[in-house]
Amino acid sequence: KGYDNSFINGMTMFIGGIATLCVAYYLDGWTTGNQVTHWLWYGLYVAGIVAVGTFCFSLYGHILKRYSPTLIAFFGFSEPFFAAIFGWIFLSEQISWTFAIALIIVSLGLYIFYQEDLK
């Protein structure tokens, strides 16, 4: 529609934050029992969320200019595989043979879908 990626990124983060705040109030209410005791770690946590959120939303906006939204959504099927691979690398979790089969099937589906998307 002609909007800048920065504007879309800012509005989605702002509206998402307000919605999350409303849901948190509805589910938990306002309590004073969860006070921050380590401000450095809290600040780093918030800075990490803002940095990653800003980077990822901006990247998402740029990717949408090149690829179709359907293809981008379809790539969401690969997220569990990254979680399993990171668990294998960092937590020494076991990966079963069904994981390999599922990875091959999803990768093949992504390849076929992308070939059709190019046409």
Side-chain angles (χ1 to χ4, degrees):
K1 301 282 181 179
Y3 294 110
D4 186 40
N5 283 343
S6 300
F7 176 76
I8 295 171
N9 184 20
M11 289 304 294
T12 55
M13 290 180 76
F14 179 74
I15 293 170
I18 296 297
T20 302
L21 186 63
C22 294
V23 170
Y25 175 74
Y26 177 74
L27 295 177
D28 294 331
W30 300 125
T31 61
T32 58
N34 298 329
Q35 296 179 353
V36 177
T37 57
H38 300 288
W39 284 100
L40 174 66
W41 290 110
Y42 181 74
L44 290 173
Y45 180 69
V46 170
I49 289 172
V50 171
V52 169
T54 303
F55 173 74
C56 291
F57 272 115
S58 296
L59 181 64
Y60 185 75
H62 290 293
I63 289 172
L64 279 175
K65 289 180 180 179
R66 181 172 174 147
Y67 301 103
S68 71
T70 308
L71 179 66
I72 302 300
F74 193 60
F75 268 99
F77 286 120
S78 66
E79 291 173 9
F81 299 114
F82 284 105
I85 290 170
F86 290 146
W88 176 66
I89 293 170
F90 297 116
L91 303 174
S92 301
E93 295 177 346
Q94 296 296 318
I95 295 179
S96 67
W97 60 273
T98 55
F99 172 81
I101 293 172
L103 179 63
I104 291 169
I105 291 171
V106 170
S107 298
L108 183 63
L110 284 169
Y111 176 75
I112 292 170
F113 188 85
Y114 182 65
Q115 293 303 314
E116 288 295 319
D117 200 42
L118 289 175
K119 294 180 184 177

